[in-house]
Amino acid sequence: MNQQKRQGIFDRLAEAIPEPTTELNYSTAFELLIAVVLSAQATDVGVNKATAKLFPVANTPEAILALGLEGLKAYIKTIGLFNAKAANIISLCQQLLDKHKGKVPETRAELEALAGVGRKTANVILNTAFGQHTIAVDTHIFRVSNRTKIAPGKNVLEVERKLDKWVPKGHKKNAHHLLILHGRYTCVARKPKCGQCVIADLCEYDNKAVNS
């Protein structure tokens, strides 16, 4: 795929999705961090249901530590892997207080040093909370990048590096959410909705279902 096509793809996605942002509910960088940690192998809808009850009670490191491990589990038990996530969140909150005065750090290295935070989560926080031009490659972005041929790669890191290199400069900040939302609602996993797709003529997918 050439760069002119990529420019056209992102121009159209940006027009079709004028306010690309996360579907996780949050009001602070810390709330976003907790929501993203909870969202691994879980739906945003499920996370939002849990945090709607958790955040009014505890939305700071101190408040979550005051809940304790079992207290936190009671709020997030509807989310997959909640035992491990609760343990990580308790450790993460302690780390924030011990090393960052309770604030969410703004560098990848510091974020990745937190319990339960990997590269993908760090990229989400850097992009969504702090406006940095990072792209977190989740299952939707991995699929869309390979299917459309925007940035094909065998693993998430390869796709991330190609996106970082090839996403047009003017779309770098919003590319992450544009691709996620396109993958979540149009370029879906089982049967992409090619007939409703604004980039169908630019996409290089071999098996387009134009009547979908």
Side-chain angles (χ1 to χ4, degrees), residues 26-36 103-105 125 129-130:
Y26 73 99
S27 57
T28 66
F30 177 74
E31 286 187 359
L32 179 64
L33 177 59
I34 298 304
V36 176
K103 302 285 188 184
V104 177
I125 302 304
F130 301 124

Side-chain angles (χ1 to χ4, degrees), residues 1-10 149-150 166 168:
M1 177 175 287
N2 62 40
Q3 203 57 16
Q4 186 177 355
K5 259 192 187 178
R6 290 192 187 94
Q7 182 73 51
I9 284 171
F10 280 98
K149 309 290 197 297
I150 292 172
W166 289 334

Side-chain angles (χ1 to χ4, degrees), residues 11-192:
D11 285 349
R12 289 194 201 171
L13 289 177
E15 187 176 348
I17 310 169
E19 294 184 23
T21 188
T22 181
E23 293 185 309
L24 291 169
N25 295 331
Y26 73 99
S27 57
T28 66
F30 177 74
E31 286 187 359
L32 179 64
L33 177 59
I34 298 304
V36 176
V37 169
L38 290 173
S39 72
Q41 297 180 36
T43 66
D44 287 0
V45 172
V47 172
N48 287 338
K49 284 182 181 177
T51 57
K53 295 176 181 176
L54 172 64
F55 288 159
V57 176
N59 70 341
T60 65
E62 295 93 337
I64 285 182
L65 287 173
L67 281 178
L69 183 61
E70 294 307 317
L72 176 59
K73 284 182 185 179
Y75 284 97
I76 66 169
K77 62 186 178 185
T78 55
I79 297 174
L81 308 174
F82 74 93
N83 283 310
K85 290 176 182 178
N88 280 331
I89 288 170
I90 292 292
S91 297
L92 175 157
C93 289
Q94 193 62 59
Q95 287 175 295
L96 288 178
L97 291 173
D98 292 344
K99 299 179 181 179
H100 304 287
K101 299 180 180 177
K103 302 285 188 184
V104 177
E106 298 185 31
T107 71
R108 184 195 307 284
E110 288 174 314
L111 283 165
E112 287 188 27
L114 298 173
V117 177
R119 185 179 182 88
K120 185 175 78 172
T121 296
N123 277 338
V124 173
I125 302 304
L126 292 172
N127 177 263
T128 307
F130 301 124
Q132 295 186 29
H133 294 183
T134 55
I135 300 175
V137 180
D138 69 350
T139 54
H140 296 300
I141 292 181
F142 186 78
R143 179 178 68 253
V144 171
S145 297
N146 276 287
R147 185 184 274 165
T148 62
K149 309 290 197 297
I150 292 172
K154 294 175 183 174
N155 55 60
V156 293
L157 191 56
E158 190 178 341
V159 169
E160 182 189 327
R161 285 174 174 160
K162 287 185 177 180
L163 286 170
D164 191 50
K165 180 180 178 181
W166 289 334
V167 170
K169 193 173 181 181
H171 293 292
K172 271 280 180 73
K173 183 172 181 289
N174 289 327
H176 170 74
H177 289 115
L178 288 173
L179 293 174
I180 283 180
L181 293 168
H182 184 63
R184 187 172 286 168
Y185 296 108
T186 303
C187 197
V188 294
R190 289 189 179 180
K191 189 179 179 185

